[in-house]
């Protein structure tokens, strides 16, 4: 996806505040944080939205969650807690169409959501 901003961050074509990178995912700080810790975990391959996931992507999605858990520990918020969110399409509030897992923490999250 040539116009995808997250593909460009993954490829290093534009800068991102990267906290983790491996062969499957890249994680970087959100440019407009909604919490003291706000990190996005994105797959290195382009997937528009959760609606486009296929069965072969299941290990990748699992890896996104274990990466989020590891980063939460690295950021010192594992014990205090955190929220993981993946928005889908307009009603879900998705604005960047390259799937990403939001890791939010460092303060109590508001509830109820929605
Ligand atoms: P969503 O609304 O779920 O699609 O989330 C997209 C997120 O990407 C928002 O929280 C934005 O602040 C964040 N974002 C957009 N552009 C960048 C960027 N260049 N670097 C880091 N975060 C970004």
């Amino acid at each position: 996806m040539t116009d995808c901003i997250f593909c460009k961050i993954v490829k290093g074509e534009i800068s991102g505040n990267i906290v983790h990178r491996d062969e499957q995912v890249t994680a970087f700080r959100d440019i407009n944080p909604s919490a003291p810790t706000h990190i996005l975990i994105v797959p290195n391959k382009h997937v528009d939205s959760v609606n486009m996931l296929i069965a072969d992507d299941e290990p990748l999605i699992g890896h996104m969650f274990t990466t989020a858990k590891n980063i939460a520990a690295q950021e010192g918020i594992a014990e205090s807690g955190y929220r993981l969110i993946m928005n889908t399409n307009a009603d879900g509030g998705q604005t960047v169409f390259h799937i990403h897992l939001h890791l939010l923490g460092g303060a109590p999250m508001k509830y109820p959501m929605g």
Side-chain angles (χ1 to χ4, degrees):
M1 264 272 179
T2 48
D3 276 349
C4 172
I5 193 155
F6 287 178
C7 282
K8 288 180 178 169
I9 292 174
V10 166
K11 290 179 190 155
E13 292 172 4
I14 64 168
S15 62
N17 191 340
I18 291 172
V19 299
H20 172 87
R21 193 201 293 275
D22 64 37
E23 67 286 348
Q24 293 186 81
V25 300
T26 300
F28 48 89
R29 293 190 194 279
D30 196 292
I31 203 167
N32 184 22
S34 299
T37 300
H38 188 173
I39 291 167
L40 304 174
I41 297 98
V42 316
N44 293 342
K45 77 163 189 171
H46 184 89
V47 180
D48 278 320
S49 79
V50 169
N51 284 338
M52 303 305 287
L53 288 171
I54 57 173
D56 283 354
D57 293 324
E58 288 172 11
L60 172 63
I61 298 305
H63 185 64
M64 290 171 73
F65 275 83
T66 52
T67 300
K69 177 209 78 164
N70 292 337
I71 294 171
Q74 196 176 291
E75 294 285 319
I77 59 169
E79 296 309 317
S80 52
Y82 51 91
R83 182 171 287 168
L84 299 173
I85 299 174
M86 199 179 283
N87 297 323
T88 303
N89 281 354
D91 281 0
Q94 186 176 7
T95 59
V96 176
F97 286 81
H98 178 134
I99 58 168
H100 47 280
L101 188 59
H102 294 259
L103 166 61
L104 297 147
M109 297 293 108
K110 294 190 180 80
Y111 199 84
M113 295 180 279

